[in-house]
Amino acid sequence: ARETVQVSKLPLNVNVEISCIAIKKWMSNNIRLRFAPSPTGPLHIGGLRTALYNYLITRKLGGKFILRIEDTDLNRLDDKAIKHIEDSLNWCGILPDESPKSPGKFGPYFQSKRKDLYKKYIEKLIKNGSAYYAFDKKDELSELRKKNEKEGKTFIYNWLNRDKLKNSLSLNHEESKNLIHKDEYVIRFKTYDPLKDNDEYYIEDII
């Protein structure tokens, strides 16, 4: 990892080569890297760069490059964008080993069709306190954002304000239960609270 940081100004092919050396220290050739673009418009150059990095690393290590469509924003979903993403990757020679068009053993390859797969993991996160139910409505959060903007602030839903918002951390069990039954909620990660959590987290960025 350190070698990659030190040579960040080298050409792309050299950076990728060194990145792969660092990754090879702890990963097998079973590596699976996914690219999960949101089909709400044309493929952005930044997204293409991410796809390229993942593709090159999997080719170097003999792994699999996966295309999964992040189609969870149904209000902005554009079917033409899905084709544009696939065509763009194909034009650039970034060919997925598994995708909606070329499925493998680990589908579905549309995020919206994977809800049942994630349900048990969501329940596990809720149970161990790593996530919580949030019942705030879009217009309520929109009003908070506007209010903060007028005060020159940025509204972020996090450990600073979550105890004051409408969620399973701030409401009692019965209130939360009733709102859950209405099926109008999102699941939020319970991010680190420096005022309550004593644990320290260290992350090594291998890329």
Side-chain angles (χ1 to χ4, degrees):
R2 293 193 183 94
E3 298 100 324
T4 306
V5 174
Q6 291 172 355
V7 297
S8 60
K9 293 184 179 180
L10 291 176
L12 173 62
N13 62 324
V14 178
N15 271 324
V16 171
E17 180 73 23
I18 295 174
S19 295
C20 288
I21 293 172
I23 293 171
K24 236 176 180 178
K25 292 176 183 177
W26 65 279
M27 274 196 170
S28 71
N29 60 0
N30 294 322
I31 181 173
R32 294 172 58 84
L33 297 181
R34 72 171 167 82
F35 175 52
S38 179
T40 55
L43 180 61
H44 191 274
I45 188 66
L48 187 61
R49 179 190 63 184
T50 300
L52 176 62
Y53 285 174
N54 287 354
Y55 177 77
L56 292 175
I57 291 171
T58 55
R59 289 298 171 269
K60 177 68 177 180
L61 299 180
K64 299 287 187 182
F65 173 62
I66 318 301
L67 172 64
R68 190 170 74 208
I69 303 298
E70 188 77 18
D71 61 336
T72 51
D73 188 348
L74 299 179
N75 292 327
R76 299 170 59 214
L77 178 63
D78 183 352
D79 290 334
K80 292 181 180 178
I82 299 175
K83 186 177 186 305
H84 179 274
I85 291 167
E86 293 172 332
D87 290 346
S88 297
L89 292 176
N90 185 63
W91 183 80
C92 292
I94 304 175
L95 307 178
D97 297 293
E98 298 173 28
S99 69
K101 284 188 174 180
S102 302
K105 296 187 296 182
F106 300 99
Y109 296 90
F110 285 95
Q111 187 77 320
S112 62
K113 296 180 180 179
R114 300 175 64 86
K115 292 179 181 179
D116 290 340
L117 295 175
Y118 297 138
K119 188 175 181 181
K120 66 176 181 179
Y121 296 105
I122 289 173
E123 291 172 350
K124 184 177 180 180
L125 289 169
I126 294 286
K127 188 175 182 179
N128 67 24
S130 298
Y132 59 97
Y133 295 97
F135 311 106
D136 317 87
K137 295 183 178 179
K138 286 185 178 180
D139 56 344
E140 294 172 339
L141 296 178
S142 180
E143 283 301 314
L144 284 171
R145 290 190 182 94
K146 290 177 182 177
K147 182 177 181 294
N148 277 262
E149 286 174 3
K150 287 180 181 179
E151 298 173 357
K153 302 175 183 177
T154 300
F155 173 76
I156 302 175
Y157 202 123
N158 60 16
W159 60 272
L160 282 169
N161 55 27
R162 63 191 177 205
D163 289 338
K164 301 174 184 177
L165 298 170
K166 193 189 298 183
N167 54 62
S168 57
L169 300 177
S170 61
L171 302 175
N172 62 46
H173 177 72
E174 199 61 35
E175 289 174 317
S176 295
K177 186 177 178 181
N178 290 334
L179 290 169
I180 290 169
H181 285 159
K182 291 181 180 180
D183 203 28
E184 295 180 356
Y185 60 84
V186 297
I187 306 295
R188 292 184 179 271
F189 279 111
K190 189 180 179 185
T191 52
Y192 175 68
D193 184 344
L195 300 179
K196 297 179 181 178
D197 300 335
N198 296 318
D199 295 334
E200 293 184 354
Y201 298 88
Y202 297 90
I203 299 174
E204 181 179 2
D205 187 347
I206 63 172
I207 301 297

